[in-house]
Amino acid sequence: MLTKDSKIYVAGHRGLVGSAIWNNLKGRGYDNLVGRTHAELDLTDQLAVRRFFDEERPDAVVLAAAFVGGIMANSLYRADFMMMNMKIQCNVISEAYAHGVKKLLFLGSTCIYPKNAPQPMTEDCLLTSELEYTNEEYAIAKIAGLKMCESYNLQYGTNYIAVMPTNLYGPNDNFHLENSHVMPAMMRKVYLAKLIHEQDWEAIRVDMAKRPVEGVNGDSEKKQILDVLAKYGIEENKVTLWGTGTPLREFLWSEDMADASVHCLLNVDFKDIIGIEKYSSVHYGASADGTVDRNHSAGRGGAIPSLGEIRNCHINVGTGKELTIRELSELVVKTVGFTGEVVFDSTKPDGTMRKLISVDKLHRLGWEHKIEIDEGVKKLFEWYKESLNK
């Protein structure tokens, strides 16, 4: 049981996911939080991670750090997406166990599910057929992470929980055009196309100074700026988006995701997920003094003979609602106040055609979302405009 004094390490506390979880914990009165920037701690460096755990000795860990990006980034950096994420996960989870961390929350992604999984996707769809090729490496890394948590629980009696959020958006989102996800990329493209049409070069330069594109920034020549933006489908009063616009996507406001994650960290145990009230004693057999032997397990190999196979212990986190990419673009256009043209380039990949998740397990565990998509898009655009002045 974690208390308000428990030391909680949030890995990736500056990112979209980690910052939202950090703020949620703070809002609940958990002030003994530990975070490190990438410059302060490289999570792919095993020795550095070990030294960090030696020094800080956290009671709980939230593993929200990851190497992430959209379709373009996934296609360009396939080896990096697998290797970087595997290193981060292996280092943090193994050191958490070695240092006796009481509770660990692992953040994954619903891209773990097969490209042709039945909709909505339940947790039991995992590993039933092939993955979507465009994000295969990232998905495999995240599957390994959730299986690591599951396997540590089964072998060592740990209490590691894995949550798989759907597509996220919100404060601290990534708006860099080279590696951002669909919603922030779309929003920035529409906003810049509007500014070009209005010839608002002061605002364009502020935007480019904040988030340069391929080295082109706010001090660059107008032609340089227009040329590099055109490369990403941004022209005067016209935006070109990848794909056909027909894929369906589910989106979750990041602060809702954080609330769900913290709910699971504080209130959900592994035994709750697999429906066993006395998991540790069933698994190991408690000794006379009540302690558990963490080195010897009758359940080695991922199964407890008396209980059958235990798998798919992760938790989907989402809204259970979806819209097409075209419908999302219409919502963004309306929010930004764009009067120009949005074109879909069908020669570019769509990615998975549908990715709706079932949130029945999450609802049974006591949590439901609050922010609907139309309100969330407005809140994201407000945050983006405010970020340009910081």
Side-chain angles (χ1 to χ4, degrees):
M1 174 68 73
L2 298 176
T3 68
K4 297 291 175 67
D5 295 326
S6 296
K7 181 182 284 191
I8 303 174
Y9 167 46
V10 182
H13 73 294
R14 291 281 185 86
L16 170 68
V17 174
S19 63
I21 291 175
W22 181 284
N23 291 335
N24 189 281
L25 284 164
K26 282 280 188 182
R28 293 173 184 245
Y30 289 82
D31 292 321
N32 193 8
L33 305 181
V34 179
R36 293 288 188 277
T37 65
H38 176 70
E40 294 169 331
L41 175 60
D42 179 0
L43 293 176
T44 66
D45 183 335
Q46 185 178 15
L47 291 178
V49 174
R50 182 170 299 164
R51 284 195 297 270
F52 167 79
F53 274 88
D54 285 343
E55 293 166 5
E56 292 294 343
R57 298 280 172 176
D59 299 301
V61 170
V62 175
L63 181 42
F67 188 71
V68 299
I71 291 178
M72 184 184 293
N74 273 273
S75 299
L76 292 173
Y77 310 117
R78 298 181 73 89
D80 289 348
F81 269 86
M82 180 172 284
M83 185 61 76
M84 299 283 280
N85 285 299
M86 288 292 292
K87 282 183 176 180
I88 291 168
Q89 293 163 192
C90 288
N91 290 340
V92 174
I93 293 172
S94 64
E95 292 304 324
Y97 172 70
H99 290 81
V101 166
K102 298 175 185 175
K103 192 79 175 278
L104 182 142
L105 183 76
F106 173 74
L107 276 293
S109 164
T110 53
C111 72
I112 61 170
Y113 292 116
K115 64 181 294 184
N116 297 317
Q119 306 286 320
M121 299 178 291
T122 66
E123 287 82 358
D124 290 339
C125 291
L126 184 66
L127 296 176
T128 55
S129 61
E130 68 188 25
L131 297 164
E132 162 60 38
Y133 181 76
T134 56
N135 62 13
E136 193 174 40
E137 281 71 19
Y138 183 72
I140 288 171
K142 287 301 178 182
I143 291 169
L146 76 86
K147 283 293 181 183
M148 229 179 290
C149 292
E150 193 175 277
S151 299
Y152 266 82
N153 291 342
L154 291 169
Q155 182 170 342
Y156 296 119
T158 50
N159 195 11
Y160 299 168
I161 307 298
V163 294
M164 300 295 124
T166 189
N167 302 292
L168 300 174
Y169 68 106
N172 296 311
D173 216 332
N174 176 14
F175 284 82
H176 290 274
L177 296 179
E178 291 131 289
N179 57 8
S180 56
H181 283 119
V182 60
M183 191 188 298
M186 182 188 295
M187 185 172 285
R188 188 180 180 197
K189 287 179 180 183
V190 170
Y191 175 64
L192 284 168
K194 177 175 182 282
L195 293 180
I196 294 171
H197 177 65
E198 295 171 350
Q199 289 294 296
D200 189 347
W201 277 95
E202 182 180 350
I204 292 169
R205 290 188 183 283
V206 167
D207 184 283
M208 295 294 288
K210 185 73 175 182
R211 298 175 178 88
V213 182
E214 295 187 6
V216 177
N217 58 36
D219 294 326
S220 301
E221 297 291 332
K222 285 186 180 182
K223 187 179 185 304
Q224 278 186 295
I225 293 174
L226 291 174
D227 286 348
V228 77
L229 292 182
K231 182 178 176 181
Y232 288 87
I234 305 163
E235 302 170 74
E236 182 186 348
N237 232 25
K238 179 181 176 182
V239 172
T240 303
L241 302 175
W242 278 29
T244 62
T246 56
L248 287 154
R249 288 292 181 272
E250 174 184 11
F251 293 95
L252 178 67
W253 181 245
S254 61
E255 292 173 337
D256 268 356
M257 175 282 309
D259 195 61
S261 298
V262 174
H263 173 81
C264 291
L265 177 69
L266 301 178
N267 302 303
V268 177
D269 293 324
F270 186 61
K271 63 180 175 56
D272 302 320
I273 298 170
I274 63 176
I276 302 171
E277 290 304 316
K278 297 186 180 298
Y279 170 70
S280 291
S281 60
V282 169
H283 191 166
Y284 302 105
S287 62
D289 63 359
T291 60
V292 172
D293 183 350
R294 295 168 71 90
N295 296 312
H296 298 89
S297 164
R300 266 185 213 280
I304 302 172
S306 62
L307 302 173
E309 293 183 350
I310 294 175
R311 63 177 76 231
N312 304 329
C313 302
H314 57 286
I315 306 165
N316 287 341
V317 178
T319 65
K321 301 178 181 182
E322 61 188 345
L323 77 167
T324 67
I325 296 297
R326 186 178 295 276
E327 288 170 332
L328 175 64
S329 72
E330 292 166 356
L331 198 53
V332 169
V333 161
K334 181 181 177 182
T335 299
V336 174
F338 181 61
T339 57
E341 181 184 14
V342 175
V343 177
F344 284 88
D345 181 357
S346 60
T347 66
K348 295 294 194 295
D350 271 324
T352 307
M353 291 307 294
R354 195 180 183 206
K355 287 178 63 179
L356 181 66
I357 57 170
S358 166
V359 287
D360 290 348
K361 182 188 284 190
L362 181 64
H363 289 175
R364 287 197 302 270
L365 292 168
W367 189 90
E368 296 187 26
H369 78 282
K370 301 175 184 66
I371 303 295
E372 300 296 349
I373 186 69
D374 52 349
E375 180 186 356
V377 168
K378 291 176 185 175
K379 287 166 70 76
L380 182 63
F381 187 51
E382 288 168 5
W383 181 89
Y384 181 69
K385 287 188 293 184
E386 290 172 4
S387 76
L388 295 173
N389 300 315
K390 292 180 180 177

